[in-house]
Amino acid sequence: MNEDFRIVLEIDESDSGTTNIPLKEERLFLKKFHGYNSICIQCHDNPDADALASGYALYKYFYSRGQKVNFIYTGHNRITKPNLIMMVNELGIPVEYVGKLPECDILITTDCQYGAGNVTKLEAKTVAMIDHHQCGIMQNENYYIRSGLGSCATVVWDLLKAVGFDIDSDINLSTALYYGLYNDTNQFEEIYHPLDKDMRDSLNKNEQLLFKLMNTNLSLNELDIASVALTKQVYCNKNRFSVIEAKQCDPNILGIISDFVIQVEEVDTCVAFNPNPGGYKLSVRSCIKEIKANELAEYLCSGVGNGGGHLTKAGGFISARLFSEKTGGTDIKEYFISRINQYYNDFEIIYAKTHDVDTFGLKRYQKKDIIVGVTDACDFIEKGTPILVRTLEGDVNLKVEDGLYFMIGIEGEVYPIRKEKFERTYKYVEGEPDMVMEYAPTVRDNICGNVYQLMKYMKTCVATGQSTVLAKELEKNVKVFTSWDETKYYRGLKGDFLVVREDDLHDIYVVRRDIFFKTYKEV
């Protein structure tokens, strides 16, 4: 295999949520390289824990197959951070600093994109890439990128699982993957994709070593950076938020700063940011249910980068090039202040339990008779058990009760429904649903930790046409606190649909525009 070519597989995971889960054969991406005698794995310059972990995992896989493997990095600087030196030494990571590419049949870059600004380009005839960052200059090149994931360690972990590689028996490898995700998601505070959570929850790890690694991150210089940043924070009284600018530093320091500021009584949300190579890193916090930190991060980075995270803690990255092109050189701090104020003004908030719906102008719809899924929670979990329902849209905490069902839509969307409502609205049928989903939803037993795949217990059903809803296209973004869960809202964007069950005007929810037209018909 000595042709001059590049190997490509794109997994497009945009914020729209309309993408597909990679097929089994696509996740066998690593098998493409079985025919190469010698492989070189390169991570980005100034490697971090995620780059080291993902490269180490690829090294272990190909080495176990008897292939010759080198794991390298280059650039102006060698690894100097004490936690990374400890990681390399304690876990036996065979990474080498090089000035030129070792002789090999193929170069695989990990946690970076070949030719990008954060990795020295080493000329190679055959190149492949595995990454989790947004596709930048490589839009027409060859890659396997899952940009919705929090770490490249997760991407590689999923690929290794697909080819049946035994990760659990290698505690050093498992510990490395865990620590890579831990660092790239700001100590798990910016973790939001369910695959990241699955890897975090399942990996075997060296707890004592992790404790040492996690407590060697902050230097005296970084302590000074945090102190200076806190004295220069800007506060908006109207919407009760703070914006804090720091000098360039490790992303974990931004998390420390924002964690401190959110504890201030007058602050409901805050954003700490600093310049980074190629742009700006930000850390977002919220302590009110009306603002999800992950959605605020997405909003701030929309069109200029990418962001996401948890309900209360999130983060993101803004590209300096995209920011300059979009804003024409606006001051970054002023951008954050203006954009956060705009976010507050862009959403109407609806509390379903107390909201009186104005039905004027709403049209009547019925569910189409397409096959969807349903599960009875009591079929596989004992009544009274507290559970976490994990979906691509987020985690929902509930307690199993008699008559608690879960509907599973055509794109894997999940929502709870009472047995009596289900029986009024649906009927069981035979047949296979036409489902295309990015992540198969799961339920986790919060007592013993067992994880159940909802699809495994799913029965198929169709709407009977006996129940109707009232709906209208949204002219403004909304946040709906459903009658099921008063602590978390569901977001609807302009163009999506606000839906109300006609037999229960407090059963209010939002349906994404494309899913609405696939599943509802006007009557």
Side-chain angles (χ1 to χ4, degrees):
M1 304 181 87
N2 55 7
E3 302 89 10
D4 186 1
F5 70 99
R6 305 185 193 281
I7 294 174
V8 56
L9 178 61
E10 174 181 5
I11 304 299
D12 180 11
E13 296 187 287
S14 63
D15 290 338
S16 65
T18 60
T19 53
N20 302 343
I21 187 168
L23 300 175
K24 175 68 174 177
E25 58 269 23
E26 293 170 342
R27 291 173 62 238
L28 299 179
F29 186 67
L30 296 180
K31 288 193 173 184
K32 292 176 177 285
F33 314 120
H34 286 183
Y36 292 93
N37 293 321
S38 59
I39 296 173
C40 192
I41 299 161
Q42 180 189 9
C43 63
H44 57 73
D45 301 352
N46 302 307
D48 56 11
D50 186 37
L52 294 171
S54 56
Y56 181 40
L58 291 172
Y59 174 93
K60 296 283 282 190
Y61 173 67
F62 292 117
Y63 183 83
S64 73
R65 290 183 38 76
Q67 292 168 274
K68 180 182 177 182
V69 194
N70 291 100
F71 178 25
I72 66 167
Y73 74 100
T74 187
H76 297 295
N77 303 307
R78 296 175 183 259
I79 296 172
T80 57
K81 289 198 69 176
N83 63 318
L84 298 181
I85 293 174
M86 181 184 296
M87 178 184 181
V88 168
N89 292 337
E90 294 289 337
L91 297 178
I93 299 177
V95 66
E96 303 173 76
Y97 176 83
V98 300
K100 64 178 182 179
L101 181 68
E103 185 176 335
C104 61
D105 296 326
I106 184 171
L107 172 67
I108 303 175
T109 64
T110 183
D111 199 33
C112 58
Q113 297 170 33
Y114 185 71
N118 67 337
V119 57
T120 299
K121 186 175 181 179
L122 301 175
E123 294 297 334
K125 285 187 176 182
T126 306
V127 177
M129 291 173 288
I130 299 173
D131 193 19
H132 74 115
H133 297 98
Q134 288 288 342
C135 185
I137 64 173
M138 302 302 297
Q139 291 180 0
N140 296 314
E141 292 290 340
N142 309 317
Y143 56 90
Y144 185 102
I145 295 179
R146 300 198 58 188
S147 57
L149 298 179
S151 73
C152 194
T154 312
V155 181
V156 176
W157 172 77
D158 191 48
L159 290 174
L160 292 179
K161 286 204 312 172
V163 295
F165 185 69
D166 184 8
I167 301 170
D168 294 337
S169 64
D170 189 334
I171 194 167
N172 281 358
L173 176 57
S174 295
T175 302
L177 292 170
Y178 186 93
Y179 190 56
L181 177 63
Y182 174 87
N183 275 270
D184 246 35
T185 56
N186 193 20
Q187 304 175 24
F188 299 139
E189 301 298 354
E190 296 166 13
I191 189 172
Y192 63 103
H193 197 287
L195 270 181
D196 292 318
K197 298 173 185 176
D198 285 349
M199 184 179 81
R200 175 199 62 191
D201 295 345
S202 66
L203 285 174
N204 186 23
K205 50 197 178 292
N206 183 331
E207 298 282 3
Q208 184 176 5
L209 176 58
L210 281 169
F211 183 77
K212 290 169 63 179
L213 290 169
M214 292 170 182
N215 287 280
T216 57
N217 280 319
L218 186 62
S219 67
L220 286 174
N221 179 59
E222 290 168 333
L223 182 62
D224 288 339
I225 290 173
S227 300
V228 171
L230 290 170
T231 65
K232 296 183 177 180
Q233 65 93 21
V234 176
Y235 178 70
C236 176
N237 185 63
K238 178 183 177 182
N239 287 320
R240 293 171 57 90
F241 68 81
S242 283
V243 174
I244 312 101
E245 181 176 8
K247 293 181 180 179
Q248 184 172 335
C249 60
D250 188 276
N252 285 338
I253 309 307
L254 288 182
I256 292 171
I257 293 171
S258 54
D259 280 339
F260 186 82
V261 173
I262 199 62
Q263 297 179 63
V264 176
E265 181 183 0
E266 292 84 1
V267 176
D268 291 337
T269 56
C270 68
V271 176
F273 74 96
N274 68 353
N276 259 259
Y280 305 91
K281 179 73 177 174
L282 57 144
S283 179
V284 181
R285 298 291 183 266
S286 172
C287 64
I288 56 173
K289 68 178 184 179
E290 287 78 10
I291 304 291
K292 289 181 182 178
N294 59 324
E295 290 187 359
L296 179 56
E298 290 174 9
Y299 189 88
L300 294 174
C301 298
S302 177
V304 292
N306 58 87
H310 193 262
L311 295 178
T312 60
K313 300 184 179 185
F317 182 80
I318 290 177
S319 161
R321 177 181 61 82
L322 294 176
F323 181 77
S324 178
E325 291 173 357
K326 183 172 182 178
T327 67
T330 299
D331 178 76
I332 185 68
K333 183 185 290 185
E334 292 302 319
Y335 168 82
F336 282 127
I337 294 171
S338 173
R339 189 78 170 148
I340 296 170
N341 278 319
Q342 185 179 348
Y343 176 81
Y344 272 82
N345 296 331
D346 270 0
F347 287 87
E348 175 188 356
I349 298 177
I350 295 174
Y351 301 94
K353 272 195 173 181
T354 58
H355 186 73
D356 293 322
V357 177
D358 181 3
T359 59
F360 180 77
L362 273 64
K363 296 180 180 179
R364 299 177 75 242
Y365 293 86
Q366 284 181 343
K367 280 282 187 77
K368 294 179 180 179
D369 58 350
I370 57 176
I371 298 178
V372 293
V374 63
T375 63
D376 182 344
C378 289
D379 282 349
F380 55 96
I381 300 184
E382 186 177 348
K383 178 182 174 182
T385 303
I387 59 173
L388 179 148
V389 185
R390 176 163 290 171
T391 74
L392 193 65
E393 291 79 19
D395 291 348
V396 178
N397 289 291
L398 295 170
K399 182 175 287 188
V400 175
E401 303 171 348
D402 285 332
L404 174 62
Y405 287 12
F406 294 110
M407 300 299 303
I408 306 171
I410 57 175
E411 292 193 6
E413 67 275 16
V414 174
Y415 58 92
I417 187 172
R418 293 289 183 189
K419 178 181 179 181
E420 55 270 23
K421 279 189 178 180
F422 171 80
E423 292 177 343
R424 290 202 307 267
T425 311
Y426 295 91
K427 63 181 179 181
Y428 291 108
V429 296
E430 299 293 330
E432 293 295 325
D434 184 15
M435 291 181 170
V436 181
M437 60 185 67
E438 179 181 341
Y439 177 81
T442 62
V443 169
R444 180 179 297 275
D445 182 330
N446 283 340
I447 295 178
C448 63
N450 292 334
V451 177
Y452 304 89
Q453 296 283 340
L454 280 180
M455 307 294 289
K456 182 177 179 180
Y457 304 94
M458 185 182 76
K459 299 175 183 177
T460 50
C461 59
V462 297
T464 61
Q466 302 301 309
S467 177
T468 57
V469 300
L470 303 172
K472 69 174 181 179
E473 184 176 340
L474 290 171
E475 297 178 353
K476 183 178 181 179
N477 302 331
V478 300
K479 297 177 180 181
V480 177
F481 289 88
T482 67
S483 56
W484 274 96
D485 189 346
E486 297 180 76
T487 64
K488 300 186 185 76
Y489 63 79
Y490 292 84
R491 179 179 60 174
L493 302 180
K494 184 178 178 181
D496 292 340
F497 278 78
L498 184 72
V499 181
V500 185
R501 283 186 65 108
E502 199 168 26
D503 59 358
D504 183 357
L505 294 182
H506 290 290
D507 192 350
I508 306 169
Y509 49 98
V510 291
V511 178
R512 207 174 66 221
R513 182 181 183 84
D514 59 329
I515 294 179
F516 183 84
F517 286 116
K518 290 177 183 177
T519 55
Y520 287 91
K521 61 183 179 181
E522 189 174 350
V523 294

PDB file of all heavy atoms in Angstrom, residues 388-402:
ATOM      1  N   LEU A 388     -31.707   7.534  35.854  1.00  0.00           N
ATOM      2  CA  LEU A 388     -31.247   8.607  34.986  1.00  0.00           C
ATOM      3  C   LEU A 388     -31.486   8.157  33.553  1.00  0.00           C
ATOM      4  O   LEU A 388     -30.978   7.115  33.135  1.00  0.00           O
ATOM      5  CB  LEU A 388     -29.766   8.898  35.224  1.00  0.00           C
ATOM      6  CG  LEU A 388     -29.123   9.997  34.375  1.00  0.00           C
ATOM      7  CD1 LEU A 388     -28.023  10.699  35.194  1.00  0.00           C
ATOM      8  CD2 LEU A 388     -28.505   9.444  33.093  1.00  0.00           C
ATOM      9  N   VAL A 389     -32.292   8.908  32.821  1.00  0.00           N
ATOM     10  CA  VAL A 389     -32.540   8.621  31.408  1.00  0.00           C
ATOM     11  C   VAL A 389     -31.533   9.429  30.599  1.00  0.00           C
ATOM     12  O   VAL A 389     -31.540  10.655  30.649  1.00  0.00           O
ATOM     13  CB  VAL A 389     -33.978   8.988  30.998  1.00  0.00           C
ATOM     14  CG1 VAL A 389     -34.244   8.557  29.562  1.00  0.00           C
ATOM     15  CG2 VAL A 389     -34.985   8.352  31.941  1.00  0.00           C
ATOM     16  N   ARG A 390     -30.659   8.741  29.886  1.00  0.00           N
ATOM     17  CA  ARG A 390     -29.591   9.415  29.148  1.00  0.00           C
ATOM     18  C   ARG A 390     -29.910   9.410  27.660  1.00  0.00           C
ATOM     19  O   ARG A 390     -30.041   8.359  27.041  1.00  0.00           O
ATOM     20  CB  ARG A 390     -28.251   8.735  29.408  1.00  0.00           C
ATOM     21  CG  ARG A 390     -27.092   9.322  28.609  1.00  0.00           C
ATOM     22  CD  ARG A 390     -25.767   8.903  29.206  1.00  0.00           C
ATOM     23  NE  ARG A 390     -25.550   9.565  30.480  1.00  0.00           N
ATOM     24  CZ  ARG A 390     -24.552   9.250  31.313  1.00  0.00           C
ATOM     25  NH1 ARG A 390     -23.715   8.278  31.000  1.00  0.00           N
ATOM     26  NH2 ARG A 390     -24.401   9.900  32.455  1.00  0.00           N
ATOM     27  N   THR A 391     -30.048  10.593  27.091  1.00  0.00           N
ATOM     28  CA  THR A 391     -30.322  10.752  25.675  1.00  0.00           C
ATOM     29  C   THR A 391     -29.382  11.805  25.116  1.00  0.00           C
ATOM     30  O   THR A 391     -28.684  12.502  25.859  1.00  0.00           O
ATOM     31  CB  THR A 391     -31.778  11.199  25.420  1.00  0.00           C
ATOM     32  OG1 THR A 391     -31.919  12.582  25.782  1.00  0.00           O
ATOM     33  CG2 THR A 391     -32.754  10.367  26.221  1.00  0.00           C
ATOM     34  N   LEU A 392     -29.391  11.956  23.809  1.00  0.00           N
ATOM     35  CA  LEU A 392     -28.550  12.965  23.186  1.00  0.00           C
ATOM     36  C   LEU A 392     -28.964  14.356  23.633  1.00  0.00           C
ATOM     37  O   LEU A 392     -28.162  15.275  23.703  1.00  0.00           O
ATOM     38  CB  LEU A 392     -28.626  12.855  21.662  1.00  0.00           C
ATOM     39  CG  LEU A 392     -27.576  13.638  20.885  1.00  0.00           C
ATOM     40  CD1 LEU A 392     -26.185  13.080  21.173  1.00  0.00           C
ATOM     41  CD2 LEU A 392     -27.863  13.594  19.396  1.00  0.00           C
ATOM     42  N   GLU A 393     -30.247  14.539  23.956  1.00  0.00           N
ATOM     43  CA  GLU A 393     -30.731  15.853  24.390  1.00  0.00           C
ATOM     44  C   GLU A 393     -30.307  16.190  25.813  1.00  0.00           C
ATOM     45  O   GLU A 393     -30.397  17.335  26.235  1.00  0.00           O
ATOM     46  CB  GLU A 393     -32.272  15.914  24.304  1.00  0.00           C
ATOM     47  CG  GLU A 393     -32.822  15.913  22.889  1.00  0.00           C
ATOM     48  CD  GLU A 393     -32.839  14.527  22.279  1.00  0.00           C
ATOM     49  OE1 GLU A 393     -32.767  13.531  23.026  1.00  0.00           O
ATOM     50  OE2 GLU A 393     -32.902  14.434  21.038  1.00  0.00           O
ATOM     51  N   GLY A 394     -29.854  15.191  26.569  1.00  0.00           N
ATOM     52  CA  GLY A 394     -29.442  15.451  27.939  1.00  0.00           C
ATOM     53  C   GLY A 394     -29.910  14.352  28.877  1.00  0.00           C
ATOM     54  O   GLY A 394     -30.546  13.376  28.472  1.00  0.00           O
ATOM     55  N   ASP A 395     -29.603  14.495  30.160  1.00  0.00           N
ATOM     56  CA  ASP A 395     -29.991  13.541  31.191  1.00  0.00           C
ATOM     57  C   ASP A 395     -31.252  14.024  31.899  1.00  0.00           C
ATOM     58  O   ASP A 395     -31.396  15.210  32.193  1.00  0.00           O
ATOM     59  CB  ASP A 395     -28.877  13.380  32.223  1.00  0.00           C
ATOM     60  CG  ASP A 395     -27.650  12.682  31.651  1.00  0.00           C
ATOM     61  OD1 ASP A 395     -27.754  12.133  30.543  1.00  0.00           O
ATOM     62  OD2 ASP A 395     -26.602  12.701  32.313  1.00  0.00           O
ATOM     63  N   VAL A 396     -32.147  13.079  32.191  1.00  0.00           N
ATOM     64  CA  VAL A 396     -33.371  13.376  32.935  1.00  0.00           C
ATOM     65  C   VAL A 396     -33.444  12.411  34.114  1.00  0.00           C
ATOM     66  O   VAL A 396     -33.297  11.202  33.935  1.00  0.00           O
ATOM     67  CB  VAL A 396     -34.626  13.229  32.045  1.00  0.00           C
ATOM     68  CG1 VAL A 396     -35.884  13.490  32.865  1.00  0.00           C
ATOM     69  CG2 VAL A 396     -34.559  14.172  30.850  1.00  0.00           C
ATOM     70  N   ASN A 397     -33.670  12.937  35.302  1.00  0.00           N
ATOM     71  CA  ASN A 397     -33.780  12.112  36.498  1.00  0.00           C
ATOM     72  C   ASN A 397     -35.246  11.892  36.850  1.00  0.00           C
ATOM     73  O   ASN A 397     -36.018  12.853  36.952  1.00  0.00           O
ATOM     74  CB  ASN A 397     -33.058  12.777  37.677  1.00  0.00           C
ATOM     75  CG  ASN A 397     -31.550  12.752  37.510  1.00  0.00           C
ATOM     76  OD1 ASN A 397     -30.916  11.699  37.582  1.00  0.00           O
ATOM     77  ND2 ASN A 397     -30.963  13.904  37.270  1.00  0.00           N
ATOM     78  N   LEU A 398     -35.630  10.633  37.026  1.00  0.00           N
ATOM     79  CA  LEU A 398     -37.001  10.276  37.363  1.00  0.00           C
ATOM     80  C   LEU A 398     -36.985   9.130  38.373  1.00  0.00           C
ATOM     81  O   LEU A 398     -35.930   8.560  38.666  1.00  0.00           O
ATOM     82  CB  LEU A 398     -37.768   9.828  36.104  1.00  0.00           C
ATOM     83  CG  LEU A 398     -38.010  10.865  35.008  1.00  0.00           C
ATOM     84  CD1 LEU A 398     -38.541  10.174  33.761  1.00  0.00           C
ATOM     85  CD2 LEU A 398     -38.997  11.921  35.480  1.00  0.00           C
ATOM     86  N   LYS A 399     -38.160   8.797  38.880  1.00  0.00           N
ATOM     87  CA  LYS A 399     -38.315   7.616  39.732  1.00  0.00           C
ATOM     88  C   LYS A 399     -39.312   6.692  39.049  1.00  0.00           C
ATOM     89  O   LYS A 399     -40.357   7.127  38.567  1.00  0.00           O
ATOM     90  CB  LYS A 399     -38.804   8.009  41.120  1.00  0.00           C
ATOM     91  CG  LYS A 399     -38.948   6.824  42.067  1.00  0.00           C
ATOM     92  CD  LYS A 399     -39.315   7.270  43.479  1.00  0.00           C
ATOM     93  CE  LYS A 399     -38.129   7.914  44.174  1.00  0.00           C
ATOM     94  NZ  LYS A 399     -38.413   8.174  45.614  1.00  0.00           N
ATOM     95  N   VAL A 400     -38.981   5.401  38.998  1.00  0.00           N
ATOM     96  CA  VAL A 400     -39.844   4.431  38.330  1.00  0.00           C
ATOM     97  C   VAL A 400     -41.145   4.273  39.116  1.00  0.00           C
ATOM     98  O   VAL A 400     -41.134   4.050  40.323  1.00  0.00           O
ATOM     99  CB  VAL A 400     -39.137   3.070  38.194  1.00  0.00           C
ATOM    100  CG1 VAL A 400     -40.081   2.030  37.609  1.00  0.00           C
ATOM    101  CG2 VAL A 400     -37.896   3.215  37.320  1.00  0.00           C
ATOM    102  N   GLU A 401     -42.257   4.433  38.403  1.00  0.00           N
ATOM    103  CA  GLU A 401     -43.584   4.283  38.990  1.00  0.00           C
ATOM    104  C   GLU A 401     -44.424   3.403  38.087  1.00  0.00           C
ATOM    105  O   GLU A 401     -44.109   3.218  36.903  1.00  0.00           O
ATOM    106  CB  GLU A 401     -44.270   5.661  39.125  1.00  0.00           C
ATOM    107  CG  GLU A 401     -43.494   6.672  39.942  1.00  0.00           C
ATOM    108  CD  GLU A 401     -44.114   8.064  39.857  1.00  0.00           C
ATOM    109  OE1 GLU A 401     -44.988   8.252  38.991  1.00  0.00           O
ATOM    110  OE2 GLU A 401     -43.722   8.930  40.648  1.00  0.00           O
ATOM    111  N   ASP A 402     -45.516   2.867  38.636  1.00  0.00           N
ATOM    112  CA  ASP A 402     -46.466   2.134  37.800  1.00  0.00           C
ATOM    113  C   ASP A 402     -46.973   3.063  36.702  1.00  0.00           C
ATOM    114  O   ASP A 402     -47.357   4.209  36.955  1.00  0.00           O
ATOM    115  CB  ASP A 402     -47.660   1.653  38.640  1.00  0.00           C
ATOM    116  CG  ASP A 402     -47.297   0.455  39.513  1.00  0.00           C
ATOM    117  OD1 ASP A 402     -46.386  -0.302  39.119  1.00  0.00           O
ATOM    118  OD2 ASP A 402     -47.911   0.298  40.578  1.00  0.00           O
TER     119      ASP A 402
END
